[in-house]
Amino acid sequence: MLVDVSEITTATTVLGTPVSMPLLVAPFAMHGLLAADGELATARAASALGTLFCVSTITTRTHTEIAAAGGAGPRWLQLYVVRDKQRTLDHLAEAREGGYSALALTVDIPLLGRRERDLKLGFQIPPDLPLPYIRGKDPALAETMAQHFQINSALTWRDLEWVAAESRLPVVLKGILTGEDAALAVEHGAAGVIVSNHGGRQLDGVAATLDALPEVVAAVDGRCEVYVDGGIRRGGDVLKALALGARAAFSGRAVAAALAVDGETGVRHVLSLLHDEIELGLGLLGCTSPDQVTRVHIEPTVPYDPPG
Ligand SMILES: Cc1cc2nc3c(=O)[nH]c(=O)nc-3n(C[C@H](O)[C@H](O)[C@H](O)COP(=O)(O)O)c2cc1C
């Protein structure tokens, strides 16, 4: 209390890239199912708000189209390594022109989780939906997600080297939930880790990401940046993540819902709501920038000793 918060900035950096706030757009598949212009709408909105858009491998638009829509806005590419290695190599070659500043390699999906809601609803990918880096040139590929998803289940720590070499980008591992894996990530040269359980879509019963975050932050011990996703819906959620040691948080479903409701305008609206909540929360915590939010904001270090 009684801190001058008349000037507040929400701006920060991720791997050295400036972003307008510590809330980034998580990679989620098939924006084209939610809005006609799909990833282009999201790219425009994220770029307008100055925040980072992490584009999924399961994008319905090409990297060239997304780069044209997103302009100079910061972007990472989320990578799935598929069974056909050549297809991943071709994907990375095409992505190199896409203006991506890092690669987020998703590591929590050696096998596709059993998504009971998808099964119950009989979810099918529309046969005419373009998926340039999944379907490739073969639109006649199978129709269910499981059949489309030719992910390489044999990927190991050893593969990080060729992924980094081919992408020529810093590699962030998405889907880390333990201190042990975080330490291995650092030892294998990861530039960052995203504490994530894939929005609860992979293994049922794993830790909530906010609970796993402190262990990962401790294991990493400042050797790489740590991010988190899962259930980030309000600016206050982002501030809690920062207090627990995250550099920034990602949101998936908040952006997906916005895209479905009102396309680019919807995503702009949700991102600006989150921005304003982060700004207000910073001020009410007595902070003027994201890096001032620390563990002391959630955990008293010295027990309060009442006078007398
Ligand atoms: C519909 C949907 C599709 C997703 N697709 C991908 C994907 O293609 N690649 C990936 O790494 N994560 C994917 N995710 C996981 C998100 O990146 C993120 O981890 C998760 O959504 C965060 O939780 P939240 O939705 O509660 O914010 C997807 C999530 C959802 C809900």
Side-chain angles (χ1 to χ4, degrees):
M1 294 302 149
L2 290 175
V3 174
D4 178 356
V5 291
S6 54
E7 303 261 333
I8 297 169
T9 177
T10 59
T12 185
T13 60
V14 285
L15 298 180
T17 300
V19 286
S20 60
M21 58 176 158
L23 182 280
L24 319 171
V25 177
F28 60 90
M30 299 181 277
H31 294 207
L33 285 179
L34 306 176
D37 45 0
E39 287 78 7
L40 307 188
T42 314
R44 285 189 205 106
S47 180
L49 270 291
T51 196
L52 184 137
F53 174 25
C54 188
V55 176
S56 168
T57 287
I58 316 181
T59 169
T60 56
R61 297 297 188 132
T62 65
H63 300 309
T64 315
E65 289 175 296
I66 295 168
R75 281 185 302 282
W76 289 358
L77 171 64
Q78 177 271 322
L79 185 72
Y80 283 137
V81 175
V82 293
R83 261 178 239 160
D84 177 352
K85 187 172 174 182
Q86 189 55 48
R87 184 173 285 181
T88 294
L89 295 176
D90 293 346
H91 181 195
L92 288 174
E94 199 173 325
R96 268 187 232 122
E97 312 299 315
Y100 295 108
S101 59
L103 201 68
L105 176 68
T106 303
V107 296
D108 59 10
I109 190 164
L111 305 164
L112 187 71
R114 188 177 154 81
R115 297 173 181 176
E116 289 175 353
R117 195 176 301 164
D118 286 1
L119 296 170
K120 203 159 122 189
L121 294 173
F123 174 67
Q124 301 271 308
I125 297 175
D128 55 349
L129 189 74
L131 297 173
Y133 309 108
I134 288 290
R135 272 183 174 146
K137 313 237 163 2
D138 182 6
L141 269 178
E143 284 184 12
T144 67
M145 190 65 195
Q147 284 164 309
H148 268 298
F149 206 66
Q150 300 285 318
I151 197 148
N152 182 353
S153 310
L155 205 72
T156 70
W157 292 101
R158 279 196 292 272
D159 294 293
L160 289 189
E161 212 168 289
W162 70 261
V163 169
E166 286 297 327
S167 69
R168 301 177 203 162
L169 292 172
V171 177
V172 172
L173 298 189
K174 175 175 183 282
I176 297 293
L177 281 173
T178 63
E180 288 88 342
D181 275 343
L184 280 169
V186 173
E187 281 161 31
H188 287 81
V193 294
I194 306 177
V195 178
S196 170
N197 59 22
H198 216 106
R201 290 158 68 82
Q202 282 297 98
L203 181 60
D204 194 18
V206 294
T209 53
L210 218 61
D211 291 335
L213 180 59
E215 172 181 327
V216 169
V217 169
V220 160
D221 195 21
R223 293 175 293 166
C224 75
E225 292 189 353
V226 178
Y227 319 96
V228 67
D229 75 18
I232 301 287
R233 301 289 179 271
R234 307 295 298 242
D237 300 332
V238 177
L239 297 171
K240 287 169 199 161
L242 298 187
L244 290 169
R247 180 88 195 156
F250 288 84
S251 187
R253 288 177 180 83
V255 177
L259 184 64
V261 169
D262 206 7
E264 178 189 340
T265 311
V267 178
R268 277 184 190 235
H269 183 60
V270 157
L271 292 177
S272 66
L273 286 173
L274 286 161
H275 169 272
D276 293 352
E277 289 175 358
I278 293 168
E279 188 175 57
L280 178 64
L282 281 173
L284 294 179
L285 283 172
C287 298
T288 57
S289 63
D291 59 346
Q292 292 175 6
V293 183
T294 65
R295 270 204 98 106
V296 300
H297 290 103
I298 49 170
E299 192 176 81
T301 45
V302 183
Y304 178 60
D305 191 8

